[in-house]
Amino acid sequence: MRRKEGRTIGLYFKVSPAEMALIEEKMEQAGTLNKRAYLRKMAVDGYIVHVDMGSVKELVKLLRSIAGNVNQIARRCNETRNLYGEDVEDLRKGYVEVQKEVALLVGKFVKL
């Protein structure tokens, strides 16, 4: 190790063949051939992305609810040949709720 670079502390670790293949693949994507430089750069400047999926789960729940409502209304329309205003209002409210959740979710991704 070159002392003039100021790097005097050795850091050693082992990886599995699969991990090594993944490291080499990511190095290729980054366009670098120097493994030491790549690993040092990732250790110092790399970052971890943690995604909170709670909003997505809530959105999926709302979408399932709306889909169930649409199916019930479709069955009723097929049976009675009538469409009730309150059914349409229920769908509209569900849509507005989903639209709000989508806006919140998109806002979270924009912040990343």
Side-chain angles (χ1 to χ4, degrees):
M1 199 168 287
R2 299 179 199 145
R3 293 203 185 275
K4 63 182 175 183
E5 290 179 355
R7 296 186 181 116
T8 58
I9 300 171
L11 185 62
Y12 307 97
F13 59 95
K14 292 184 178 186
V15 296
S16 70
E19 290 169 331
M20 189 64 210
L22 188 58
I23 290 169
E24 288 171 350
E25 180 183 326
K26 289 184 178 191
M27 282 177 55
E28 187 177 323
Q29 291 172 356
T32 184
L33 299 175
N34 187 330
K35 197 174 297 167
R36 285 182 187 176
Y38 173 77
L39 293 173
R40 186 171 38 251
K41 182 72 173 165
M42 291 306 295
V44 173
D45 297 333
Y47 58 93
I48 297 171
V49 177
H50 176 74
V51 180
D52 178 16
M53 298 301 285
S55 298
V56 174
K57 289 177 183 177
E58 180 66 24
L59 184 59
V60 168
K61 185 174 119 182
L62 291 170
L63 289 171
R64 284 184 182 147
S65 174
I66 290 174
N69 290 345
V70 168
N71 285 336
Q72 288 175 0
I73 292 169
R75 274 191 230 113
R76 196 174 326 153
C77 285
N78 287 333
E79 291 171 3
T80 64
R81 300 287 183 209
N82 290 326
L83 180 62
Y84 299 102
E86 62 188 47
D87 291 338
V88 174
E89 184 61 21
D90 285 344
L91 285 177
R92 189 192 68 73
K93 286 179 182 176
Y95 175 76
V96 168
E97 198 171 339
V98 167
Q99 191 176 21
K100 286 178 188 176
E101 288 293 323
V102 167
L104 287 172
L105 186 61
V106 169
K108 287 180 181 179
F109 282 119
V110 168
K111 289 178 184 177
L112 293 176

